[in-house]
Amino acid sequence: SLKMASDSPESLMTLCTDYCLRNLEGTLCYLLDNETLRLHPDIFLPSEICDKLVNEYVELVKTDSIFEPHESFFTLFSDPRSTRLARIHLREHIVQDQDLEAIRKQDLIELYLTNCEKLTAKSLQTLVSFSHTLISLSLFGCSNIFYEEENPGGCEDDCLVNPTRQVLVKDFTFEGFSRLRILNLGRLIEGVNVETLLRPLASLAALDLSGIQLNDVGFLTQWKDSLVSLVLYNMDLSEEHIQVIAQLRKLRHLDISRDHLSSYYKFKLTRRVLNLFVENLVNLTSLDISGHTMLENCTIPSMEEKMGQTSIEPAKSSIAPFRGLKRPLQFLGLFETSLCRLTHIPAYKVSGDKNEEQVLNAIEAYTEHRPEITSRAINLLFDIARIERCSQLLRALQLVITALKCHKDDKNIQVTGSAALFYLTNSEYRMEQSVKLRRQVIQVVLNGMESYQEVTVQRNCCLTLCNFSIPEELEFQYRRVNELLLNILNQSRQDESIQRIAVHLCNALVCQVDNDHKEAVGKMGFVMTMLKLIQKKLADKTCDQVMEFSWSALWNITDETPDNCEMFLNYSGMKLFLECLKEFPEKQELHRNMLGLLGNVAEVKELRPQLMTSQFISVFSNLLESKADGIEVSYNACGVLSHIMFDGLEAWGICEPHREEVVKRMWAAIQSWDINSRRNINYRSFEPILRLLPQGISPVSQHWATWALYNLVSVYPDKYCPLLIKEGGIPLLKDMIKMASARQETKEMARKVIEHCSNFKEENMDTSR
């Protein structure tokens, strides 16, 4: 009943269901008294729609942290005159006694309850109301459903001394469940008498008793004419068990597999036992004997094995007892047995650890109910993906996604699954993956990061996110991914490698995104987090990638975003800037990132007065001579000063250094730069530069702006000529050429920019008819 991640587009039905569940109040329901959800009175929904609504709701609550569960959700399906339920699958803590109680009037045909630990014996009574229609029932892992609360003495005062205690219900049976054919009681708690419980069932076809220890299974023979499927996973067997099983001649599926790590088993599987099954269970199409040690050799000696093409014909079987099969089995479970490595195995599908196909079959077969086995199978897949190339990539990815979604709280699966995802999403597999599948990967990775603060899971998840194009592929979960990364970076004890990856991701996420995204992330505390990281590194006197990425991230997040620039100043960003300059005078990358950021701050008119101190202006002036990172540091320092000069003489509120002296140093710096410099910078808009053109207050600022445009359009014409034309730069340059106050050399340069753009336009004119 597990839903596999699929690669085909969502059906219209699924899209509508999802939309309605996320907007119940605006679609199917209204709010009564501002709190209870009620269906609109004129709605009638058939079971195809209701089943899907309930099953998708459970899936959403389980796997989407943004989705809010509704307390009154199940009450929407309380009246069979307006809603019909037939087949529903409920999981874990999502469902409580009152939820089942709410739908007790429905004629359920199929009810799967998986690991619903909040259900108590109250729900056993509710089950009785479905007894006349239920055909298929699973109570797998519902560990409290046979317990009821008993209040000893029943008196008010006594309750304070003796709180309620859990008592096992012993008198419940499946009396009256006349249509029940399929039953899963996996992991039923000890103390419940299985034989008494099941005796009233007339004709069971499938029974699962996984994880239950029964010494006497003789009662199973009462269904020897009807039982086609029997699962006894992790039951320690004996000769008596084997004799009983051999009488169930209608069996098509038999599973006596076990987890070989879970405890010590006395029973050893022998050639005789397998022969007995093959002779007696003539309808068998599926057999699982995973995890068993073979006491005596069941294999054909290798010299007798007919080599050549591997075959699934029973006559050639390398496992001797299976030579007696009439036809190959559909499925044979051999996971963690030595038999899976043999040459000839008479089955179409084999679970084992020999190769990718067997490992994927194991993950597929055991995911839902056996996470302990699944995590070991995923570990094998991880090795295959890491060392060789996966040949069934799509299937492997879908199986891992499904396992991670199904076992969100299982640490082993989260660790092995997230590690496997890292290798399955890397660049060599990129072309084979659809947008939808890659989004599903991102969702389960973020789920893992939310559920687990554990170092390995966090590191694997962060590394996997690095396989995606950022920000494009993460934009549909933008808020959530940023919150998770900031949460990691704000933890006081931090693993160095995770910190490095998380800062790198944060930086990539705020590069090339819209300003409203940047503002939103700023409000989440992004600026503060980066400054804290910088402060920590300063205290340790280390300038590493974390330090550089943090400054780079601040540079990106303040780009044309005044709110974030203001935050930077308010949280003592300038103090940290000066301290970093002093502590790391040789670190060129660092200087470039810091000055890029200050360039953004200087573009905000209201914030510029805060930069107007002798100390800052001296620092910027001295950096004009810097040769760090080509021209970048000098260029950015000059940009900061150009904006400050643009505010005019009256804004220059300091005696030292003199404004004229700084202007002179700016001219000298610009003249020293190579106009063909390749750049370490990325402009999304020229607006802040174009602002400096139509003015006579500061010719040097005008010159810096013109130089910047000339350099960018000549070195990167394809990118920057269209941008300059689009943003109306050409008329501004033409007007500036007519200005008396503009310097001759600035006008010359402006003409070259215009010429460059018009040549570019002509070359790229579409002349085809």
Side-chain angles (χ1 to χ4, degrees):
S1 69
L2 256 197
K3 230 175 56 176
M4 271 280 278
S6 87
D7 204 31
S8 50
E10 297 289 13
S11 67
L12 188 55
M13 172 77 156
T14 303
L15 292 170
C16 292
T17 307
D18 187 72
Y19 182 80
C20 288
L21 287 170
R22 290 178 191 277
N23 303 279
L24 279 171
E25 215 186 312
T27 52
L28 306 170
C29 306
Y30 64 96
L31 265 190
L32 184 70
D33 313 328
N34 270 342
E35 52 179 358
T36 319
L37 276 174
R38 283 286 158 83
L39 269 187
H40 284 297
D42 52 353
I43 281 180
F44 173 81
L45 298 172
S47 61
E48 291 81 0
I49 290 176
C50 293
D51 290 350
K52 201 156 171 58
L53 281 167
V54 169
N55 296 335
E56 285 297 320
Y57 171 81
V58 171
E59 179 82 2
L60 277 176
V61 175
K62 196 166 153 33
T63 59
D64 189 338
S65 63
I66 301 161
F67 183 76
E68 284 292 322
H70 296 275
E71 216 160 275
S72 51
F73 178 75
F74 285 89
T75 59
L76 301 176
F77 304 92
S78 57
D79 185 354
R81 287 171 304 185
S82 55
T83 53
R84 291 280 166 84
L85 287 173
R87 297 180 168 82
I88 58 173
H89 301 194
L90 310 178
R91 314 182 68 91
E92 295 171 25
H93 60 273
I94 295 162
V95 61
Q96 304 189 26
D97 291 328
Q98 64 266 29
D99 299 324
L100 272 190
E101 174 71 13
I103 57 170
R104 72 183 185 284
K105 291 182 182 162
Q106 293 286 356
D107 292 336
L108 291 184
I109 295 169
E110 189 176 287
L111 174 62
Y112 288 119
L113 302 169
T114 308
N115 296 324
C116 299
E117 292 173 359
K118 287 201 174 173
L119 297 182
T120 70
K122 286 186 187 133
S123 287
L124 282 181
Q125 295 318 309
T126 309
L127 286 184
V128 176
S129 50
F130 308 127
S131 60
H132 58 293
T133 52
L134 266 188
I135 292 172
S136 181
L137 172 68
S138 167
L139 300 178
F140 182 88
C142 297
S143 51
N144 295 310
I145 201 162
F146 279 88
Y147 279 113
E148 64 184 347
E149 289 186 351
E150 187 185 74
N151 182 2
C155 105
E156 293 296 316
D157 304 328
D158 199 27
C159 303
L160 302 170
V161 190
N162 291 318
T164 52
R165 56 180 187 166
Q166 303 289 320
V167 186
L168 196 59
V169 171
K170 295 198 170 170
D171 55 356
F172 177 83
T173 71
F174 285 110
E175 187 68 58
F177 285 72
S178 55
R179 303 182 64 187
L180 198 61
R181 297 287 176 276
I182 300 166
L183 179 62
N184 184 340
L185 293 176
R187 305 226 318 264
L188 185 71
I189 40 138
E190 279 181 39
V192 177
N193 186 324
V194 178
E195 186 178 345
T196 317
L197 186 66
L198 300 181
R199 193 177 293 123
L201 296 175
S203 44
L204 264 186
L207 180 62
D208 188 327
L209 299 172
S210 293
I212 304 172
Q213 192 46 53
L214 295 177
N215 297 328
D216 177 13
V217 290
F219 66 90
L220 292 177
T221 54
Q222 66 180 302
W223 300 294
K224 64 177 190 292
D225 296 327
S226 62
L227 206 61
V228 291
S229 170
L230 178 64
V231 180
L232 304 176
Y233 168 70
N234 263 355
M235 191 180 286
D236 196 9
L237 305 170
S238 65
E239 186 54 38
E240 288 75 33
H241 289 81
I242 299 302
Q243 293 307 324
V244 170
I245 292 168
Q247 294 174 56
L248 305 173
R249 292 173 175 264
K250 291 274 166 69
L251 278 186
R252 293 204 291 270
H253 170 62
L254 172 64
D255 183 344
I256 54 166
S257 65
R258 63 192 192 189
D259 174 2
H260 76 102
L261 295 182
S262 70
S263 62
Y264 173 72
Y265 290 103
K266 296 180 284 297
F267 181 78
K268 300 278 192 290
L269 203 53
T270 63
R271 190 168 181 156
R272 183 188 60 79
V273 171
L274 289 181
N275 276 328
L276 192 69
F277 289 164
V278 171
E279 283 161 28
N280 289 284
L281 309 177
V282 292
N283 297 316
L284 212 56
T285 60
S286 164
L287 174 67
D288 203 330
I289 53 173
S290 296
H292 277 280
T293 10
M294 304 295 167
L295 186 61
E296 51 181 83
N297 207 345
C298 295
T299 60
I300 302 286
S302 56
M303 45 226 251
E304 281 181 47
E305 262 196 316
K306 304 266 190 303
M307 290 318 279
Q309 212 46 48
T310 53
S311 167
I312 60 166
E313 283 174 48
K316 292 184 180 173
S317 172
S318 304
I319 306 166
F322 294 148
R323 290 195 162 183
L325 287 167
K326 305 278 181 292
R327 61 192 100 59
L329 293 168
Q330 293 296 322
F331 176 84
L332 178 56
L334 300 175
F335 189 70
E336 296 182 321
T337 68
S338 53
L339 301 180
C340 70
R341 295 189 192 85
L342 296 170
T343 311
H344 303 301
I345 301 175
Y348 292 103
K349 216 174 196 178
V350 177
S351 75
D353 47 35
K354 176 183 173 184
N355 54 29
E356 184 184 349
E357 171 67 20
Q358 285 189 1
V359 168
L360 293 177
N361 290 340
I363 299 172
E364 189 168 18
Y366 309 129
T367 286
E368 178 155 38
H369 292 132
R370 301 178 195 174
E372 61 286 358
I373 306 275
T374 307
S375 72
R376 301 205 290 271
I378 293 176
N379 212 13
L380 293 165
L381 175 66
F382 162 73
D383 281 333
I384 293 167
R386 187 170 55 98
I387 300 159
E388 318 159 29
R389 192 184 158 83
C390 265
S391 53
Q392 302 183 47
L393 173 75
L394 217 62
R395 185 176 171 218
L397 250 185
Q398 290 170 337
L399 286 168
V400 174
I401 290 171
T402 301
L404 283 165
K405 278 170 98 167
C406 184
H407 300 287
K408 201 167 126 187
D409 304 319
D410 184 302
K411 184 182 157 187
N412 291 333
I413 284 193
Q414 291 300 321
V415 169
T416 55
S418 56
L421 280 185
F422 171 69
Y423 285 102
L424 292 169
T425 52
N426 70 17
S427 50
E428 64 169 313
Y429 296 126
R430 182 67 183 275
M431 296 311 293
E432 301 167 48
Q433 295 164 10
S434 67
V435 171
K436 180 183 168 192
L437 200 63
R438 286 178 75 81
R439 284 190 166 194
Q440 286 176 326
V441 172
I442 291 164
Q443 294 272 28
V444 300
V445 163
L446 300 181
N447 283 346
M449 286 170 77
E450 257 156 5
S451 308
Y452 272 91
Q453 298 307 312
E454 206 273 333
V455 172
T456 325
V457 176
Q458 297 271 341
R459 187 187 296 113
N460 291 348
C461 290
C462 285
L463 281 169
T464 302
L465 290 178
C466 293
N467 285 337
F468 291 82
S469 302
I470 305 171
E472 301 79 23
E473 287 190 283
L474 296 182
E475 225 166 327
F476 80 108
Q477 291 282 295
Y478 197 76
R479 260 200 90 85
R480 188 177 170 206
V481 75
N482 273 297
E483 272 169 2
L484 283 167
L485 290 168
L486 292 179
N487 187 27
I488 287 176
L489 291 171
N490 281 320
Q491 286 160 19
S492 49
R493 289 179 54 235
Q494 192 44 266
D495 177 273
E496 190 66 35
S497 61
I498 299 184
Q499 199 178 53
R500 194 172 59 249
I501 307 159
V503 176
H504 161 72
L505 284 166
C506 277
N507 188 20
L509 277 162
V510 291
C511 190
Q512 303 293 300
V513 288
D514 295 340
N515 292 15
D516 51 352
H517 273 336
K518 291 182 183 177
E519 274 173 26
V521 176
K523 290 194 178 79
M524 283 179 209
F526 189 100
V527 177
M528 175 94 105
T529 303
M530 293 304 147
L531 289 170
K532 270 192 202 149
L533 288 174
I534 292 165
Q535 194 148 23
K536 248 188 236 162
K537 291 291 169 191
L538 249 175
D540 301 340
K541 296 190 177 346
T542 44
C543 180
D544 56 6
Q545 281 185 308
V546 172
M547 173 72 105
E548 283 177 13
F549 283 153
S550 301
W551 278 108
S552 177
L554 286 171
W555 180 6
N556 282 321
I557 200 171
T558 51
D559 178 36
E560 293 187 44
T561 317
D563 288 4
N564 292 340
C565 293
E566 188 172 3
M567 252 184 255
F568 169 78
L569 292 178
N570 290 348
Y571 297 139
S572 319
M574 290 303 286
K575 181 169 170 282
L576 287 178
F577 159 66
L578 293 174
E579 285 172 11
C580 285
L581 265 185
K582 193 172 159 203
E583 186 64 53
F584 309 112
E586 302 307 313
K587 293 286 185 184
Q588 305 198 352
E589 274 280 295
L590 185 69
H591 293 185
R592 184 196 88 202
N593 294 346
M594 295 196 303
L595 275 151
L597 151 68
L598 290 181
N600 292 338
V601 176
E603 286 169 12
V604 185
K605 186 173 171 54
E606 300 72 42
L607 301 179
R608 284 201 285 272
Q610 295 190 49
L611 304 180
M612 197 66 224
T613 70
S614 292
Q615 190 184 21
F616 293 153
I617 300 295
S618 300
V619 169
F620 298 141
S621 306
N622 292 335
L623 286 168
L624 288 168
E625 270 100 67
S626 166
K627 294 285 172 275
D629 202 17
I631 67 162
E632 295 306 326
V633 171
S634 176
Y635 170 87
N636 278 321
C638 200
V640 171
L641 290 166
S642 293
H643 287 289
I644 289 171
M645 293 293 168
F646 173 62
D647 290 337
L649 196 55
E650 63 279 9
W652 198 268
I654 53 172
C655 307
E656 283 292 319
H658 287 300
R659 188 168 186 268
E660 293 321 309
E661 186 193 323
V662 178
V663 168
K664 213 154 72 195
R665 290 176 78 175
M666 287 167 73
W667 279 109
I670 300 172
Q671 274 147 355
S672 72
W673 302 336
D674 173 5
I675 196 66
N676 297 314
S677 299
R678 312 278 312 160
R679 300 305 303 284
N680 235 332
I681 199 159
N682 189 1
Y683 282 101
R684 287 187 310 139
S685 160
F686 281 147
E687 197 277 323
I689 294 179
L690 297 176
R691 232 183 278 162
L692 301 174
L693 293 178
Q695 48 96 13
I697 300 163
S698 171
V700 72
S701 307
Q702 214 171 30
H703 192 66
W704 174 83
T706 312
W707 189 97
L709 295 174
Y710 183 34
N711 163 258
L712 293 166
V713 298
S714 46
V715 180
Y716 307 101
D718 293 358
K719 179 171 184 184
Y720 290 118
C721 287
L723 184 64
L724 185 61
I725 294 164
K726 182 177 139 224
E727 294 196 335
I730 306 298
L732 286 173
L733 287 163
K734 285 180 174 167
D735 289 348
M736 190 260 284
I737 293 169
K738 295 177 194 151
M739 283 175 72
S741 60
R743 289 272 278 264
Q744 206 46 48
E745 53 198 300
T746 311
K747 296 179 179 184
E748 280 305 309
M749 207 173 261
R751 286 192 188 95
K752 287 181 186 162
V753 176
I754 295 166
E755 197 181 320
H756 238 86
C757 287
S758 57
N759 290 346
F760 174 83
K761 239 173 134 177
E762 276 165 29
E763 278 168 34
N764 288 280
M765 281 287 281
D766 188 0
T767 51
S768 56
R769 277 273 173 266

